[in-house]
Amino acid sequence: MGTSLDIKIKRANKVYHAGEVLSGVVVISGKDSIQHQGVSLTVEGSVNLQLSAKSVGVFEAFYNSVKPIQIINSTIEMVKPGKFPSGKTEIPFEFPLHVKGNKVLYETYHGVFVNIQYTLRCDMRRSLLAKDLTKTCEFIVHSAPQKGKLTPSPVDFTITPETLQNVRERALLPKFLIRGHLNSTNCVITQPLTGELLVESSEAAIRSIELQLVRVETCGCAEGYARDATEIQNIQIADGDVCRSLSVPIYMVFPRLFTCPTLETTNFKVGKRDGCRPAPPGLPIMTALTEGPWSLRRTHGSARGGLGRGPEGVRGACGPPRGASPPCDEGSGGPRVSPRAGCSARGRGCRGHFPWRRFVEPPERFYLQHYIRTGALWGQDSRVRSREGARLGWWPNT
Amino acid sequence: MAVFPWHSRGRNYKAEFASCRLEAVPLEFGDYHPLKPITVTESKTKKVSRKGSTSSTSSSSSSSVVDPLSSVLDGTDPLSMFAATADPAATDSSRKRRDRDENSVVGSDFEPWASKRGEILTRYTTTEKLSINLFMGSEKGKGTATSAMSEKVRTRLEELDDFEEGSQKELLNLTQQDYVNRIEELNQSLKDAWASDQKVKALKIVIQCSKLLSDTSVIQFYPSKFVLITDILDTFGKLVHERISSLCVDHRSVLPDHFSPENVNDTAKETCLNWFFKIASIRELIPRFYVEASILKCNKFLSKTGISECLPRLTCMIRGIGDPLVSVYARAYLCRVGMEVAPHLKESLNKNFFDFLLTFKQIHGDTVQNQLVVQGVELPSYLPLYSPAMDWIFQCISYHAPEALLTEMMERCKKLGNNALLLNSVMSAFRAEFIATRSMDFIGMIKECDESGFPKHLLFRSLGLNLALADPPEGDRLQILNEAWKVITKLKNPQKREVNTVLADVIKHMTPDRAFEDSYPQLQSIIKKVIAHFHDFSVLFSVEKFLPFLDMFQKESVRVEVCKCIMEVFIKHQQEPTKDPVILNALLHVCKTMHDSVNALTLEDEKRMLAYLINGFIKMVSFGRDFEQQLSFYVEARSMFCNLEPVLVQLIHSVNRLAMETRKVMKGNHSRKTAAFVRACVAYCFITIPSLVGIFTRLNLYLHSGQVALANQCLSQADAFFKAAISLIPEVPKMINIDGKMRPSESFLLEFLCNFFSTLLIVPDHPEHGVLFLVRELLNVIQDYTWEDNSDDKIRIYTCVLHLLSAMSQETYLYHIDKVDSNDSLYGGDTKFLAENNKLCETVMAQILEHLKTLAKDEALKRQSSLGLSFFNSILAHGDLRNNRLNQLSVNLWHLAQRHGCADTRTMVKTLEYIKKRSKHPDMGHLTELALRLPLQTRT
């Protein structure tokens, strides 16, 4: 085994907020004493944008816009060149999470075309004879809980053959009537999406009812933009021919890392706005859509078990219940307030400089679409399944 | 031939006893001894195994130096170890004591799932071919420590995808056994994956397993499949829970039984949360449901209300399951997990039930019917598939449930058109008292049920089982009975009054025209049912009409059969001895009936059976300290059961026991009253024994009773017993019948006499008779007895007599009876007594030698040799070899034994060795000389 280098972050869930201090220890262990040319620690945070295959041709000209955007990058020298004794050496570190200038610490997000990732890297430089040692460790940034309270915005929906879109021959469809409601279209990211669905009638036997969470990622610059809708996860809420007139719960936990609060910046946004027809993979022929503007946010009192949430969590817990405050910034014309309160001052200040306000329309939308697939038309999509695998395997500590 | 005098060797029994005993060696504290309790001080192995399970966390921080303090704390702390390994059942019960609210813990009166499990597996089987989706564990190199995180993640994802798609295959055409084996393999691979730290793989396996539960292709097998797969889920749930609680344990403290989420550290919480996130993203409904339910318990790590929030949500989630069978089993699983984890959360149980009722109509829906047609399954065989799950749900709900709730449930069931399936489950799961109080309603519902799918007799059976356990309300009883009587004629109801009514009714119907003569079997079955339920015989016999009912059995054979049944049940169920006059009277009557049926034609087996039953009754009768009452009962019993010899034997034994009990109560010192009572007991025995037929039975009983009399200081009575025994010996026939075969009786006689001799040692001489009068009389009888021609038994007996006489000539005897002076203290080693004794010995020896002489014929040489040797041994053991003539005699005997080469060389060698060994003892020096005079003959 020889020499090993490891980073241990103090918080078990590795979640930090802007302005907090990222702390932990670097652990160096080896059987013999270790000669080195210095150990440094680097915090990096960047937004990686990627254009989808279909957009590449159109936007070749704007390749600049797909350059990674650096949010934070700083290095500290932990140990001067020297020697570590044999055995285990722990070097504690603290890193205040502050950004320079007008940059904002966006929330960690692992998407398809947009990726926001923060890493902590420890490098141990060594003499020519020995390889340099590097250890990288991802940590997660959450935006601070939003101050404003969320008004639940329930929505009812009805699905019948008539409401179906992208259907070729409506006459061939079996008759059915499905009704339901969602408790709110403004969701707190840490809380599940809830609602109910009720099959009043259906001529054909139902095989499955599924709920699909779709994200819309927009990358762009002055000359244009690319917007892509992809599936995040697909959750089956009913299997088989469910009982008629018996409400089936709609319930979905937003997967961590793969979702983030609705976000809008100059070069990219994550969310969904009206008018864009998403094309999720494996779109069934018979799809009933009810969609509306969706927003996801992190609010006060979001109960994520009070894990490492720091003082905000505590404050939130004793704050007023959500749903009692004025509605959030839905549709207001003024400068958009970024959903994160923690870094809002700077964000708002710089917002004015961006000329691409037209893309920002009803902003900060995270689009959730649910639809019913019925009958024999349902087929299994291997891509969906592999993503389930990704979600299961992602977060390593089990 | 000269007469050899006998000189007994003086014996010091105490010293001999001490020298024969094994040497006792005091044991030092640290010494090894096989019986010493094992105390293990080494704890290394424990520690290693613990390390293994938490290797993922400890590997990076493990240091080479072992801290002696922490190593002590690591697992060997006896208290924490006890807490960790304590039997869950034990902690359960202790917790029950602690908790006042008994609702929070499932008590022992809740039938556990484990007991249902086996039943389901054996009941729901199939011969159809099954198919299973199974994956082969991917053997790709595991992602070792890669330098960059993203890279690691990528490899991981690839691995997972590989696992997901590439290595999965469907196996078709499996027999049920293959299928079970495959599932067992999956269970094993789950454990392996977990042990090798591939937790995500383990999760995948569990997901795949629970997916199997959405497949209803071979529907008859579904309940068993459910059992098998939920076993895997349970394993998984346990593993996850253990893993998380191991994270909570900070090497130092052990998580208490009732921990609160605040005590759980962040790492554990985060890991736990992660599991829930992972499971929340499982795409398919059924696996997501089952896997989440399996780790429901882990919610305790996150928040106090976690479980109470989760259960209703999971309950609602089941609504999404379309297939009614799949959904009812999902509900059963949820109830099972819920009862285990949070038995106080009743609401979700109820919700499950009501939801189930809402979806109940689906069973008759098109989808299910189509499926049944495709699979070729009929409704009557489909519906019982629901029973295990429904019974379980109902059992969970009705456990300690308030009346109101049960009533509400019943109302809801009623609304569904009295479905037989539901009704049956209700009746088999709800409390018997509940059912009993509403028996009229139930009868009504049963009547209204349509017969399709579920046969009515099963419903009545369920109802009957309930009524057998609990009493219906007073007012309704008769009506219930009448209602049920119309449908079935065999409703049994162990309430005294009702049984009485039934019996009276039966009597009323049966008596006219002696109708009962035609229906003995039915009446007999009624009796059987009644006594099967009445285990308290005092209640049974206080049922007025019971004995009149018995009187209806007028045909003797049937009557005896019934009596036998009653007695069998009595012997089986009566735990305590009784003196209840009602029971005694009735059972004496019953026993008398049985006894009176015995006649010349009765078979031996039958007699034995009857005697066994009557004996069982006699043994159960006890008047406690009222010994006289007890004796008078025995007197009465003797007069009643005089025809059954085993009963008389039992009575004699019982009376003897009574005498000894009296002695015990008086601690050996009889008062005048008890002495008289004991003499009465002895007299009872003395006059009862002659009425027996079996000669050895009589002999043994005489001896036994004589011993009892002796022990109770009834000397003259004891003498009478022994005299009677002696005078009986000449009557012993040469052949006796044992188990239907004629056998020579001599060996039995020999056995008896040896036993007799050992008793005679302590019997004191009668002052008016001569010295050793009993022994003399016995010797005369033996002398006159016509022995088998070619038998040496007589000589063997004489040898024994020699032993007895030697023992009698000792200063102190080997044993005594408390408060009885034996000859040793009577004569005190008087020379006249000893001379008398020796004279007897001489006579006996002369007899022996005479006999040896007669054996000097060719065919008898072998016997001569062995007898000679045994006589030699007797002299060696009991005789004083310092006496020259005796010494000479023994040498002669030695030669005689060897003379014709018939002796067993090995025995001779051993004997000689023994003599040499003995000669080393002090006072035994003369044996050296003897040994020199005993040559060993080599067989050439």
Side-chain angles (χ1 to χ4, degrees):
Chain A
M1 186 62 204
T3 317
S4 73
L5 186 64
D6 197 13
I7 305 175
K8 281 188 184 166
I9 295 178
K10 199 174 167 197
R11 287 186 188 165
N13 57 359
K14 297 181 180 172
V15 174
Y16 289 87
H17 302 84
E20 285 180 344
V21 175
L22 169 66
S23 60
V25 284
V26 169
V27 183
I28 298 151
S29 59
K31 274 186 198 147
D32 309 312
S33 59
I34 305 152
Q35 197 86 50
H36 66 100
Q37 306 289 317
V39 177
S40 61
L41 196 63
T42 310
V43 171
E44 282 180 340
S46 61
V47 181
N48 288 295
L49 302 176
Q50 203 186 350
L51 292 181
S52 65
K54 67 171 183 178
S55 313
V56 166
V58 186
F59 295 105
E60 262 169 346
F62 322 124
Y63 64 94
N64 271 344
S65 64
V66 298
K67 265 193 191 160
I69 304 162
Q70 197 139 64
I71 304 168
I72 188 171
N73 188 357
S74 55
T75 306
I76 45 168
E77 185 75 18
M78 292 185 88
V79 188
K80 297 236 164 70
K83 210 176 187 182
F84 287 115
S86 62
K88 198 165 82 173
T89 312
E90 291 192 352
I91 310 163
F93 63 82
E94 285 195 341
F95 232 120
L97 290 176
H98 289 304
V99 281
K100 286 196 190 109
N102 54 9
K103 286 178 176 163
V104 176
L105 276 183
Y106 300 122
E107 184 154 334
T108 300
Y109 170 70
H110 292 223
V112 180
F113 304 109
V114 179
N115 251 302
I116 307 171
Q117 198 175 15
Y118 296 87
T119 55
L120 191 58
R121 198 181 70 230
C122 181
D123 293 295
M124 185 200 278
R125 290 176 302 284
R126 296 208 282 181
S127 60
L128 287 170
L129 293 173
K131 241 169 67 179
D132 289 357
L133 288 178
T134 303
K135 172 78 187 179
T136 317
C137 170
E138 183 176 3
F139 66 96
I140 291 140
V141 170
H142 277 173
S143 45
Q146 212 166 352
K147 290 264 159 51
K149 274 151 256 155
L150 200 61
T151 321
S153 44
V155 60
D156 291 323
F157 59 85
T158 307
I159 309 170
T160 60
E162 287 71 40
T163 62
L164 295 182
Q165 291 157 0
N166 61 356
V167 175
R168 283 197 200 108
E169 294 209 48
R170 213 167 281 273
L172 297 180
L173 290 176
K175 286 201 172 53
F176 63 87
L177 172 59
I178 295 167
R179 286 200 300 205
H181 73 269
L182 293 162
N183 291 338
S184 178
T185 53
N186 300 321
C187 295
V188 182
I189 199 164
T190 53
Q191 300 287 326
L193 162 77
T194 52
E196 272 189 338
L197 178 141
L198 187 142
V199 181
E200 293 221 326
S201 64
S202 168
E203 261 182 12
I206 296 169
R207 189 168 287 182
S208 176
I209 301 177
E210 299 183 12
L211 200 63
Q212 193 181 35
L213 181 65
V214 175
R215 72 190 133 213
V216 177
E217 292 160 317
T218 310
C219 308
C221 60
E223 288 78 9
Y225 61 90
R227 186 186 295 140
D228 293 284
T230 45
E231 180 192 280
I232 301 174
Q233 76 174 359
N234 190 344
I235 292 277
Q236 191 185 34
I237 58 167
D239 179 24
D241 200 9
V242 287
C243 193
R244 306 290 183 261
S245 307
L246 184 69
S247 62
V248 171
I250 293 175
Y251 183 89
M252 182 190 274
V253 175
F254 294 113
R256 291 195 290 190
L257 299 179
F258 300 98
T259 51
C260 73
T262 307
L263 172 65
E264 171 209 353
T265 72
T266 49
N267 292 43
F268 66 93
K269 16 180 215 173
V270 181
K272 171 68 182 100
R273 43 173 216 98
D274 282 326
C276 168
R277 168 76 36 246
L283 189 73
I285 299 168
M286 194 188 297
T287 306
L289 292 170
T290 55
E291 52 188 52
W294 280 80
S295 79
L296 273 179
R297 33 190 274 170
R298 219 172 263 289
T299 54
H300 262 2
S302 55
R304 190 106 156 256
L307 280 182
R309 194 37 58 80
E312 297 91 337
V314 177
R315 220 185 304 138
C318 47
R322 65 190 166 84
S325 76
C328 76
D329 42 24
E330 202 65 48
S332 64
R336 309 308 314 161
V337 178
S338 151
R340 65 220 64 229
C343 46
S344 63
R346 212 170 287 147
R348 198 185 290 143
C350 63
R351 187 68 57 116
H353 300 293
F354 299 140
W356 303 294
R357 290 287 305 283
R358 61 196 167 95
F359 299 134
V360 180
E361 305 154 8
E364 295 154 20
R365 296 282 158 69
F366 206 82
Y367 205 84
L368 181 84
Q369 184 190 28
H370 47 275
Y371 56 98
I372 314 285
R373 309 195 221 193
T374 56
L377 299 166
W378 185 74
Q380 211 172 31
D381 181 347
S382 66
R383 285 168 67 194
V384 175
R385 291 176 55 232
S386 64
R387 248 181 241 118
E388 176 188 298
R391 284 193 303 275
L392 293 180
W394 187 267
W395 207 290
N397 36 335
T398 40
Chain B
M1 196 170 192
V3 174
F4 286 94
W6 176 256
H7 289 278
S8 302
R9 187 162 70 86
R11 311 270 302 252
N12 183 346
Y13 291 116
K14 266 188 191 163
E16 275 179 47
F17 182 63
S19 72
C20 287
R21 220 166 27 188
L22 284 176
E23 206 178 344
V25 182
L27 196 65
E28 290 296 315
F29 176 69
D31 285 354
Y32 166 79
H33 189 274
L35 297 181
K36 232 168 104 173
I38 299 165
T39 48
V40 180
T41 47
E42 192 70 21
S43 64
K44 278 252 164 75
T45 47
K46 263 241 151 74
K47 216 181 128 195
V48 168
S49 67
R50 277 189 115 205
K51 273 255 165 73
S53 64
T54 56
S55 59
S56 59
T57 52
S58 63
S59 60
S60 54
S61 61
S62 64
S63 54
S64 52
V65 185
V66 179
D67 173 14
L69 284 179
S70 70
S71 73
V72 163
L73 282 168
D74 194 21
T76 50
D77 170 23
L79 286 178
S80 51
M81 251 170 72
F82 176 72
T85 58
D87 185 11
T91 51
D92 256 5
S93 63
S94 66
R95 210 180 299 156
K96 190 174 183 180
R97 249 174 280 131
R98 226 181 306 142
D99 280 0
R100 278 201 201 125
D101 180 12
E102 62 171 5
N103 274 346
S104 67
V105 159
V106 177
S108 57
D109 50 342
F110 187 77
E111 192 186 358
W113 172 254
S115 67
K116 304 246 179 197
R117 206 184 149 271
E119 192 192 324
I120 296 176
L121 282 180
T122 48
R123 202 171 133 200
Y124 298 96
T125 56
T126 184
T127 49
E128 305 262 330
K129 294 291 181 196
L130 300 147
S131 67
I132 192 170
N133 269 318
L134 192 71
F135 17 45
M136 309 322 200
S138 75
E139 293 305 317
K140 259 191 164 183
K142 279 135 206 139
T144 44
T146 41
S147 52
M149 179 66 180
S150 56
E151 211 176 303
K152 189 175 174 183
V153 167
R154 209 173 304 134
T155 9
R156 200 180 183 112
L157 291 182
E158 276 167 17
E159 223 175 89
L160 291 166
D161 282 354
D162 181 51
F163 186 77
E164 180 91 11
E165 276 148 53
S167 53
Q168 182 182 338
K169 69 172 184 183
E170 192 172 15
L171 295 170
L172 295 163
N173 279 335
L174 295 172
T175 62
Q176 184 184 326
Q177 191 51 48
D178 288 342
Y179 193 90
V180 173
N181 293 344
R182 295 285 171 186
I183 290 183
E184 188 40 51
E185 272 171 32
L186 279 179
N187 201 355
Q188 196 49 50
S189 58
L190 163 70
K191 285 178 191 158
D192 291 347
W194 190 273
S196 59
D197 217 17
Q198 293 174 280
K199 308 228 163 53
V200 175
K201 184 180 171 187
L203 175 60
K204 301 224 141 217
I205 292 172
V206 173
I207 293 173
Q208 293 297 321
C209 287
S210 30
K211 260 184 199 165
L212 297 175
L213 284 175
S214 57
D215 171 28
T216 53
S217 53
V218 181
I219 208 154
Q220 304 93 315
F221 186 60
Y222 193 84
S224 293
K225 186 158 77 175
F226 170 79
V227 169
L228 295 171
I229 288 171
T230 51
D231 281 354
I232 298 183
L233 287 166
D234 289 347
T235 314
F236 177 72
K238 214 173 70 214
L239 288 173
V240 173
H241 191 265
E242 275 169 10
R243 157 98 179 115
I244 294 170
S245 44
S246 80
L247 289 176
C248 298
V249 181
D250 272 346
H251 298 286
R252 224 147 288 148
S253 59
V254 169
L255 210 58
D257 262 0
H258 291 285
F259 61 89
S260 71
E262 293 89 62
N263 302 345
V264 179
N265 62 23
D266 281 355
T267 320
K269 269 187 182 162
E270 176 61 19
T271 311
C272 185
L273 202 59
N274 239 323
W275 277 108
F276 282 107
F277 268 110
K278 279 182 202 304
I279 288 163
S281 65
I282 296 171
R283 203 180 71 81
E284 282 173 58
L285 175 68
I286 292 172
R288 192 166 46 187
F289 164 77
Y290 273 104
V291 179
E292 185 168 358
S294 74
I295 65 162
L296 185 69
K297 197 177 177 188
C298 294
N299 270 304
K300 279 187 183 165
F301 295 110
L302 294 179
S303 72
K304 270 186 176 148
T305 55
I307 292 176
S308 56
E309 285 160 10
C310 248
L311 272 174
R313 183 169 57 74
L314 288 172
T315 307
C316 275
M317 201 164 151
I318 300 175
R319 290 181 169 197
I321 301 175
D323 190 302
L325 188 68
V326 177
S327 91
V328 80
Y329 275 92
R331 287 184 198 286
Y333 185 65
L334 188 61
C335 289
R336 182 172 127 200
V337 177
M339 280 305 271
E340 246 167 58
V341 176
H344 54 285
L345 297 174
K346 299 271 187 201
E347 293 75 29
S348 56
L349 294 176
N350 302 343
K351 181 93 173 37
N352 260 313
F353 172 69
F354 296 137
D355 271 4
F356 168 69
L357 291 185
L358 287 175
T359 55
F360 191 73
K361 55 180 187 275
Q362 282 203 293
I363 292 177
H364 301 287
D366 288 342
T367 319
V368 172
Q369 298 299 330
N370 291 342
Q371 195 189 6
L372 292 185
V373 170
V374 170
Q375 293 201 25
V377 177
E378 298 282 323
L379 201 58
S381 50
Y382 174 67
L383 288 181
L385 296 179
Y386 285 81
S387 295
M390 281 170 58
D391 288 356
W392 181 259
I393 296 173
F394 284 25
Q395 185 194 333
C396 290
I397 293 171
S398 59
Y399 182 69
H400 288 176
E403 287 282 294
L405 178 70
L406 300 183
T407 319
E408 189 191 345
M409 291 188 166
M410 218 176 89
E411 287 308 314
R412 295 229 190 174
C413 291
K414 256 187 190 171
K415 280 189 195 130
L416 280 175
N418 289 330
N419 186 286
L421 174 64
L422 266 177
L423 207 54
N424 193 44
S425 286
V426 166
M427 286 192 292
S428 56
F430 280 18
R431 277 198 302 274
E433 300 83 46
F434 176 82
I435 308 288
T437 46
R438 286 166 188 69
S439 2
M440 284 312 294
D441 292 349
F442 275 100
I443 288 178
M445 285 195 276
I446 293 172
K447 275 205 245 164
E448 283 166 30
C449 272
D450 54 339
E451 289 259 15
S452 74
F454 223 85
K456 267 189 191 176
H457 68 262
L458 285 181
L459 296 174
F460 269 109
R461 184 181 163 271
S462 298
L463 179 64
L465 285 176
N466 277 301
L467 295 183
L469 289 173
D471 313 328
E474 291 285 338
D476 289 351
R477 288 181 190 172
L478 209 61
Q479 211 183 343
I480 293 167
L481 211 55
N482 289 337
E483 286 293 335
W485 208 254
K486 287 179 200 158
V487 195
I488 38 157
T489 46
K490 283 190 286 184
L491 174 66
K492 273 307 139 253
N493 180 334
Q495 200 48 45
K496 196 176 137 187
R497 228 191 89 211
E498 278 61 48
V499 171
N500 201 17
T501 319
V502 175
L503 295 182
D505 193 50
V506 174
I507 292 171
K508 205 174 88 195
H509 283 92
M510 289 300 188
T511 321
D513 305 329
R514 298 178 71 81
F516 48 78
E517 284 180 349
D518 302 325
S519 47
Y520 282 134
Q522 286 82 352
L523 295 175
Q524 216 172 327
S525 117
I526 291 177
I527 284 279
K528 271 184 189 160
K529 296 264 159 51
V530 170
I531 55 180
H533 286 292
F534 278 97
H535 295 160
D536 187 349
F537 275 74
S538 58
V539 176
L540 176 66
F541 289 121
S542 62
V543 173
E544 266 169 62
K545 294 285 177 187
F546 186 74
L547 289 178
F549 194 86
L550 279 186
D551 284 336
M552 285 206 298
F553 298 98
Q554 297 201 343
K555 193 170 153 199
E556 195 181 37
S557 61
V558 184
R559 196 180 170 85
V560 171
E561 269 315 299
V562 172
C563 290
K564 272 156 89 178
C565 286
I566 295 173
M567 287 317 293
E568 265 162 24
V569 173
F570 177 80
I571 290 170
K572 201 167 146 200
H573 292 293
Q574 188 73 23
Q575 306 288 343
E576 300 280 311
T578 180
K579 59 172 180 179
D580 184 334
V582 179
I583 297 184
L584 292 191
N585 248 324
L587 286 184
L588 273 177
H589 174 73
V590 167
C591 288
K592 180 111 179 74
T593 313
M594 294 200 294
H595 172 263
D596 291 349
S597 73
V598 175
N599 55 33
L601 295 175
T602 312
L603 294 172
E604 275 304 315
D605 278 343
E606 176 75 11
K607 276 197 211 163
R608 203 176 305 140
M609 184 68 205
L610 295 176
Y612 161 76
L613 292 171
I614 297 175
N615 282 349
F617 165 61
I618 290 171
K619 279 186 213 159
M620 270 303 165
V621 177
S622 165
F623 291 89
R625 294 289 286 267
D626 192 351
F627 290 147
E628 287 182 12
Q629 179 80 42
Q630 185 91 33
L631 185 62
S632 63
F633 168 76
Y634 290 140
V635 171
E636 192 185 353
R638 182 177 58 188
S639 68
M640 273 179 157
F641 309 123
C642 52
N643 285 338
L644 285 170
E645 190 162 318
V647 178
L648 292 179
V649 173
Q650 172 65 41
L651 284 170
I652 292 166
H653 281 303
S654 296
V655 170
N656 276 332
R657 209 177 124 249
L658 194 62
M660 291 312 277
E661 294 256 298
T662 318
R663 179 176 182 272
K664 203 168 123 197
V665 169
M666 300 306 291
K667 300 199 175 69
N669 299 314
H670 282 296
S671 67
R672 191 191 295 165
K673 202 177 157 199
T674 57
F677 175 73
V678 166
R679 279 198 285 276
C681 290
V682 171
Y684 179 101
C685 295
F686 192 74
I687 56 170
T688 312
I689 293 171
S691 61
L692 298 175
V693 177
I695 185 118
F696 280 104
T697 320
R698 265 187 285 165
L699 281 175
N700 284 321
L701 281 175
Y702 273 134
L703 178 58
H704 184 73
S705 306
Q707 285 165 346
V708 170
L710 205 58
N712 283 299
Q713 298 130 47
C714 306
L715 298 184
S716 53
Q717 283 84 350
D719 279 348
F721 276 116
F722 296 136
K723 272 189 207 154
I726 290 168
S727 59
L728 195 61
I729 288 172
E731 289 173 31
V732 174
K734 283 223 173 89
M735 305 293 270
I736 54 165
N737 186 346
I738 292 163
D739 293 337
K741 279 183 194 164
M742 295 308 283
R743 296 263 167 90
S745 64
E746 273 185 18
S747 56
F748 294 95
L749 190 58
L750 182 65
E751 192 187 305
F752 168 74
L753 285 173
C754 289
N755 195 354
F756 199 4
F757 290 145
S758 46
T759 309
L760 284 180
L761 173 64
I762 45 169
V763 178
D765 279 343
H766 195 281
E768 284 165 22
H769 298 80
V771 175
L772 297 180
F773 77 103
L774 280 176
V775 180
R776 279 170 202 277
E777 238 172 275
L778 187 55
L779 279 175
N780 287 337
V781 168
I782 292 169
Q783 174 76 31
D784 297 339
Y785 186 75
T786 45
W787 295 91
E788 211 53 64
D789 283 342
N790 293 321
S791 142
D792 303 323
D793 284 333
K794 187 174 168 187
I795 301 310
R796 294 225 166 79
I797 290 165
Y798 280 143
T799 321
C800 291
V801 173
L802 207 56
H803 299 168
L804 168 70
L805 292 171
S806 332
M808 277 182 159
S809 61
Q810 301 301 323
E811 243 173 74
T812 330
Y813 289 169
L814 184 53
Y815 44 86
H816 290 99
I817 286 181
D818 195 27
K819 299 200 168 43
V820 175
D821 288 331
S822 297
N823 285 343
D824 53 347
S825 36
L826 284 185
Y827 296 109
D830 183 53
T831 42
K832 258 165 87 184
F833 169 71
L834 289 181
E836 200 65 31
N837 199 329
N838 281 348
K839 228 163 88 190
L840 264 179
C841 288
E842 273 165 34
T843 325
V844 171
M845 273 167 83
Q847 290 277 345
I848 295 172
L849 292 174
E850 188 77 14
H851 184 80
L852 278 178
K853 224 192 268 173
T854 60
L855 288 178
K857 287 171 209 138
D858 280 348
E859 64 272 23
L861 285 177
K862 199 156 190 174
R863 279 162 58 200
Q864 190 192 37
S865 158
S866 73
L867 269 184
L869 189 62
S870 93
F871 190 32
F872 172 79
N873 282 335
S874 294
I875 296 175
L876 195 63
H878 299 281
D880 185 358
L881 286 170
R882 276 172 294 203
N883 179 288
N884 281 336
R885 294 185 68 186
L886 210 53
N887 201 323
Q888 184 56 47
L889 175 65
S890 61
V891 173
N892 289 349
L893 282 171
W894 179 266
H895 285 291
L896 178 72
Q898 280 191 327
R899 185 179 296 159
H900 299 286
C902 297
D904 179 14
T905 323
R906 262 171 59 202
T907 320
M908 303 303 278
V909 172
K910 284 231 167 118
T911 314
L912 199 59
E913 267 169 24
Y914 170 74
I915 296 170
K916 281 174 184 164
K917 203 173 136 206
R918 284 296 302 274
S919 66
K920 294 201 179 85
H921 283 262
D923 308 333
M924 291 288 174
H926 55 281
L927 286 183
T928 329
E929 196 190 326
L930 175 71
L932 290 175
R933 292 173 63 193
L934 303 179
L936 265 181
Q937 194 182 53
T938 45
R939 194 176 295 176
T940 42

